[in-house]
Amino acid sequence: MGELESPSSSEGEVITKEEACNVTVSDQRLLDLGYRPEFRREMSLFGVLGISFCSIGILNGMSSALQTGLFSGGPLGLFWGWNICSFFMLLIAFSFAEICSAYPTMGGLYFWVCKMKPDVPILGFFTGWLYSMAMVFTGVSANLSAALYLSSMAEVGRGRSLTRLEIAAIAWAVNIFSGIINTIGTKAIGHMSTLFVWWTLGGTVCLVTTLLVKAPMMNSADFVFTNVQNFTGWQSQGFVVLLGFLQAVYTLEGCETAAQVAEEAVRAEILAPLAVVGSIAGSWLIGLAYLLALLFAVQDISSVQATTFAIPIAQLYYDAVGPRLSQMCLVVIMVSQVMAAITTFTASSRLFYALARDNAFPLKKQFMTLNRFQAPYWGVWSSVLIGCIISCAYIGSAIAFNAILSSAAIAVMLSYMQPIIIRVFWPDSIEDFGPFRLGKWSWPVNLASLLFTIFVCVLFILPTAYPVNVLNMNYAIVAVGGLLVVITINWFWWGRHSFKGLVKTAMPRH
């Protein structure tokens, strides 16, 4: 082989023969894909699995979005919606795991689309930009949710309601804290994600035990599995129950985040797909235990619906376990929320790095620069800056802010759809499979995943209340439409001249 080098002296560096002899299996796979290894592989299975667990954030995700299902379908919608959506999200995870095993590299969905459909560069460009913005918006949502938990704790403990400015200031502080942790680098994120796995397990035991032991009244099994609630104004119970499915989908998004750190993981072609599937399977079971505890312990759904607390789940805990224990439970959830927020910026910064590497993002040199902690700090602090700017919208209008954040969930599902569509209509798009392969089940799994993704995207943009007015209208379609318009303008103004597809930074010399 002699040497490995980039196709042009302006794009890559030379890998010496001695370096080539010392590469790991994962690094060799990365070299085969055309990329020079730049990150130290310091993440174990627990670290990579923790990244996806963090991104999903089962305790904080379910707690933050519980009211969506509780008021739209009630216990019946929540229980059956959770299990049905978990099943289909597991199919999506299997689909992603197969692709991730073949292409264990940073960029995730974006790289997969570019690699499987190299003749349509606009598709990869759109996927990369849409998914990167979705990750940043998701991080902003997580940071604000952490601020809302703190606000609810202040209301429960001291009877004081924080102003929107104070809540936004706390969100800015969490944004900056997320940036600092991500700047420290791979080891810090790996340790934190490992901690998160144990925090989720221990926190679930703590919350479930507290609810079941301290709740003054336990609901019957008939209530938990068959009761329907409708605070939406819609007359169709079937439609209302379907609206409650959004809570489960919102909670379970994020399994693919393991792919964003694939270049930092040992044996990434094995560990990354295991983490993708394992995070959904584990979240399904852990989430089911937590959900059942909430449904058996909820004292009065109308009280939760009429709450004055910053986040409705605080009212459920306040009614079920009292003010002191409810604060303890909110702390458990809030810490989980902060760690989830940190992980979303980990994903977005790595995605910015991958986009810049392929000339799909401006300031290539800056966004590909790593600090001494092996962190792409330009991507990290760009995410923080955008997060702080978007958080300002909350001060002026909660409706506008919620529209931006709800668009993130749709943007993630639209991003999911791109590689799945390719696998359905071009099943031979993967040239060289990795160790994780679905075999004859690949096409049926991808087809079911595609149909579910389309269904969810349509459901996400439907009005959630009736009659529809300016205060309860679902503005997500406006926000997503605006984001797509911006990306389209960016493509025709800049992207189509700069981005021509994946740029190899190392390849065999023939």
Side-chain angles (χ1 to χ4, degrees):
M1 275 194 34
E3 293 179 340
L4 296 171
E5 64 177 7
S6 65
S8 66
S9 58
S10 62
E11 292 293 345
E13 301 177 21
V14 175
I15 295 179
T16 65
K17 185 175 181 179
E18 290 72 26
E19 287 177 313
C21 291
N22 295 321
V23 296
T24 64
V25 173
S26 296
D27 283 341
Q28 184 58 56
R29 179 57 182 155
L30 192 61
L31 289 169
D32 293 340
L33 292 172
Y35 289 120
R36 177 189 175 94
E38 301 285 354
F39 291 84
R40 289 190 293 267
R41 296 189 178 273
E42 298 176 330
M43 282 197 182
S44 63
L45 174 59
F46 250 110
V48 182
L49 180 64
I51 288 289
S52 284
F53 259 114
C54 269
S55 186
I56 294 172
I58 194 67
L59 295 181
N60 49 277
M62 180 172 286
S63 299
S64 300
L66 182 74
Q67 65 272 13
T68 302
L70 200 59
F71 308 152
S72 303
L76 179 143
L78 281 169
F79 176 76
W80 293 107
W82 179 257
N83 287 290
I84 292 171
C85 291
S86 293
F87 172 76
F88 281 100
M89 293 298 281
L90 184 62
L91 294 184
I92 291 175
F94 275 117
S95 174
F96 287 171
E98 183 176 52
I99 307 173
C100 184
S101 184
Y103 307 126
T105 180
M106 196 175 293
L109 304 176
Y110 151 75
F111 181 89
W112 304 342
V113 170
C114 290
K115 188 67 176 177
M116 293 189 295
K117 205 64 181 162
D119 55 324
V120 189
I122 187 175
L123 187 59
F125 184 87
F126 261 77
T127 303
W129 274 79
L130 184 64
Y131 185 58
S132 62
M133 291 300 101
M135 286 293 97
V136 174
F137 288 177
T138 302
V140 177
S141 175
N143 290 328
L144 180 76
S145 294
L148 292 174
Y149 282 116
L150 277 172
S151 177
S152 296
M153 290 169 61
E155 292 178 79
V156 171
R158 302 195 175 188
R160 178 178 180 269
S161 299
L162 300 186
T163 65
R164 283 187 186 174
L165 178 60
E166 290 172 322
I167 292 173
I170 295 172
W172 295 334
V174 179
N175 262 306
I176 295 170
F177 177 71
S178 299
I180 292 172
I181 297 299
N182 273 289
T183 304
I184 295 174
T186 303
K187 274 192 175 181
I189 299 299
H191 291 323
M192 186 207 70
S193 57
T194 300
L195 169 65
F196 186 86
V197 176
W198 296 111
W199 186 271
T200 299
L201 294 173
T204 302
V205 172
C206 174
L207 296 178
V208 169
T209 303
T210 303
L211 286 167
L212 297 182
V213 172
K214 290 296 183 179
M217 178 195 73
M218 298 299 293
N219 295 309
S220 66
D222 182 65
F223 173 85
V224 170
F225 300 119
T226 65
N227 182 265
V228 177
Q229 297 286 326
N230 182 6
F231 292 87
T232 67
W234 290 105
Q235 297 302 311
S236 171
Q237 283 196 353
F239 177 66
V240 170
V241 169
L242 287 179
L243 288 176
F245 281 25
L246 298 179
Q247 177 267 346
V249 175
Y250 174 82
T251 302
L252 289 166
E253 288 181 337
C255 68
E256 78 291 344
T257 312
Q260 300 298 342
V261 295
E263 293 182 32
E264 301 163 72
V266 179
R267 293 308 304 270
E269 68 281 359
I270 298 175
L271 298 194
L274 286 179
V276 170
V277 174
S279 61
I280 289 293
S283 295
W284 184 353
L285 297 176
I286 294 170
L288 182 59
Y290 181 41
L291 177 63
L292 287 174
L294 289 170
L295 295 179
F296 275 109
V298 62
Q299 301 299 294
D300 184 2
I301 294 178
S302 60
S303 171
V304 178
Q305 195 271 338
T307 187
T308 58
F309 293 148
I311 200 159
I313 191 73
Q315 186 69 52
L316 188 153
Y317 275 104
Y318 186 89
D319 295 340
V321 302
R324 182 169 296 182
L325 284 176
S326 64
Q327 283 191 302
M328 178 202 73
C329 294
L330 290 175
V331 167
V332 172
I333 300 169
M334 185 197 66
V335 172
S336 175
Q337 185 72 77
V338 171
M339 287 193 279
I342 292 170
T343 307
T344 57
F345 284 172
T346 304
S348 63
S349 63
R350 270 62 177 176
L351 188 53
F352 288 152
Y353 178 98
L355 289 168
R357 182 166 60 183
D358 297 324
N359 299 316
F361 209 78
L363 301 174
K364 175 174 181 174
K365 181 179 179 181
Q366 287 81 356
F367 277 94
M368 286 189 66
T369 302
L370 306 179
N371 64 9
R372 66 189 183 93
F373 297 109
Q374 290 285 291
Y377 61 95
W378 268 75
V380 170
W381 289 100
S382 294
S383 301
V384 172
L385 177 62
I386 296 171
C388 288
I389 292 173
I390 295 176
S391 297
C392 293
Y394 182 77
I395 301 172
S397 172
I399 295 175
F401 183 80
N402 289 332
I404 294 172
L405 299 188
S406 60
S407 69
I410 306 175
V412 170
M413 295 307 291
L414 287 173
S415 301
Y416 280 9
M417 196 184 298
Q418 310 312 311
I420 296 173
I421 286 176
I422 296 173
R423 294 292 294 130
V424 169
F425 292 100
W426 293 274
D428 296 328
S429 53
I430 296 180
E431 300 173 355
D432 185 14
F433 285 92
F436 189 99
R437 187 172 182 180
L438 298 177
K440 66 179 182 179
W441 293 102
S442 181
W443 194 83
V445 166
N446 281 290
L447 178 62
S449 299
L450 176 60
L451 295 176
F452 178 73
T453 306
I454 294 172
F455 165 74
V456 168
C457 287
V458 173
L459 200 59
F460 261 126
I461 63 175
L462 295 177
T464 57
Y466 183 85
V468 179
N469 56 50
V470 294
L471 295 178
N472 63 25
M473 178 180 171
N474 187 350
Y475 290 95
I477 184 63
V478 179
V480 171
L483 183 59
L484 292 175
V485 168
V486 170
I487 296 174
T488 301
I489 294 173
N490 184 32
W491 166 256
F492 285 103
W493 174 58
W494 175 81
R496 66 192 179 100
H497 304 294
S498 176
F499 180 69
K500 304 300 180 182
L502 300 175
V503 175
K504 295 183 177 182
T505 60
M507 63 182 297
R509 174 186 287 174
H510 297 292

